[in-house]
Amino acid sequence: MSTATLPSARSRRRGIRGAGGGWAPYVFLTPFVVLFLVFLVAPIITALYTSLFTVERSGLGFGNENASIFVGLENYRRALSNQGFVASFGRVLLFGVVQVPIMLALATGLALLFDSAVVRWKRFFQLAVFIPYAVPTVVAALLWGFLYQPRVSPLVSGLEAIGLDIAFLAPGTVLWSIANVTTWSVTGVNMIIIFAALQTVPRDIYEAARIDGARELRVALQIKLPMVLPAIFLTLLFSIIGTLQLFNEPMTLRSITSNVTGDFTPNMAVFSTTTLGGNLNLGSAMAILLGLVTFALSILVSVLSNRRKGGS
């Protein structure tokens, strides 16, 4: 019976291939390829093309005639000589150097804590930590903006009552006030990623370590943490990309303080140049430069992660 079934199954598969089954993978891939080309490749090519031109206007406002003129890398030279745009990179890099390690330390610590046996009502506390991620960033910035404002904020009033006079929106502190909003928003989702990685580690390893006399802290630092390093590198990569794309929080706080300028972050500088300044060509060059910096840092993190895998 089995010898009769096998040839018939093979003949059916041959029949499917012969009826055009070889095209099936391409049919399923087509929607992805079309969306990839339209929404990712085409905008990059358009921005590259636009960044190589400039628009010359004539007519003094009457019967304007706009002419696109090829200027090569002139827009890139102008972008790199724009002090506000260059300074915004330094600002977000300082932001990332301080905020990302603190946020990842909090996320990793919470994940290790929830994976241990010392916490009760884990689901409740995990949900409580994750909920800020579900709050839109604009709403989160508005909420914290209210808490940062003197005279109306209960947080400021409470700190003043114990002798702490902190101006959250001052020129020297507004960057860290934005960092606080970002940390509050994204710590939960990074904690979930690291916690999910911890669930894939075989429990036998923990039991063997405990039988050998290892305490919970040693198990966490010498077994759990090395096992979830790939997940931590993944969250680091996402955090670096998110830092360079910082936009919603400072843009929202800009409505309540003048200490957030229009070119506070690279994304805000691109937005100001293209929309408020009306210079699409220069804005495209800025966007390309921002993309290149993001790509370079992402490659650096990937190389470090791969080296760590090769060394382990």
Side-chain angles (χ1 to χ4, degrees), residues 65-139:
E65 292 184 0
N66 299 332
S68 292
I69 299 175
F70 179 79
V71 292
L73 300 178
E74 173 62 19
N75 286 320
Y76 292 93
R77 187 196 65 76
R78 290 180 59 194
L80 292 174
S81 62
N82 186 321
Q83 293 183 357
F85 180 62
V86 174
S88 67
F89 277 98
R91 197 173 289 119
V92 294
L93 288 177
L94 176 63
F95 177 96
V97 167
V98 176
Q99 186 268 339
V100 171
I102 292 175
M103 183 272 299
L104 286 182
L106 284 173
T108 305
L110 288 169
L112 291 171
L113 190 63
F114 291 138
D115 189 58
S116 68
V118 299
V119 178
R120 294 184 178 180
W121 304 315
K122 293 181 182 179
R123 297 290 176 88
F124 170 77
F125 287 112
Q126 284 176 332
L127 182 63
V129 174
F130 181 76
I131 278 179
Y133 183 69
V135 178
T137 52
V138 174
V139 177

Side-chain angles (χ1 to χ4, degrees), residues 4-26:
T5 304
L6 285 174
S8 62
R10 287 172 184 162
S11 63
R12 281 199 299 271
R13 285 197 291 272
R14 287 194 201 101
I16 292 173
R17 291 193 191 99
W23 290 97
Y26 302 103

Side-chain angles (χ1 to χ4, degrees), residues 144-150 153 155-156 168-169 177-178 180-181 253:
W144 280 100
F146 167 74
L147 293 175
Y148 290 154
Q149 290 190 72
S153 167
L155 176 63
V156 174
F168 290 103
L169 300 176
S177 298
I178 296 170
N180 176 59
V181 179
L253 290 182

Side-chain angles (χ1 to χ4, degrees), residues 16-96:
I16 292 173
R17 291 193 191 99
W23 290 97
Y26 302 103
V27 172
F28 285 111
L29 281 174
T30 298
F32 165 76
V33 172
V34 170
L35 293 174
F36 180 78
L37 292 176
V38 171
F39 292 105
L40 185 66
V41 177
I44 293 175
I45 293 175
T46 303
L48 274 171
Y49 178 79
T50 307
S51 67
L52 301 177
F53 289 83
T54 190
V55 176
E56 283 195 356
R57 297 179 174 85
S58 60
L60 299 176
F62 302 98
N64 286 344
E65 292 184 0
N66 299 332
S68 292
I69 299 175
F70 179 79
V71 292
L73 300 178
E74 173 62 19
N75 286 320
Y76 292 93
R77 187 196 65 76
R78 290 180 59 194
L80 292 174
S81 62
N82 186 321
Q83 293 183 357
F85 180 62
V86 174
S88 67
F89 277 98
R91 197 173 289 119
V92 294
L93 288 177
L94 176 63
F95 177 96

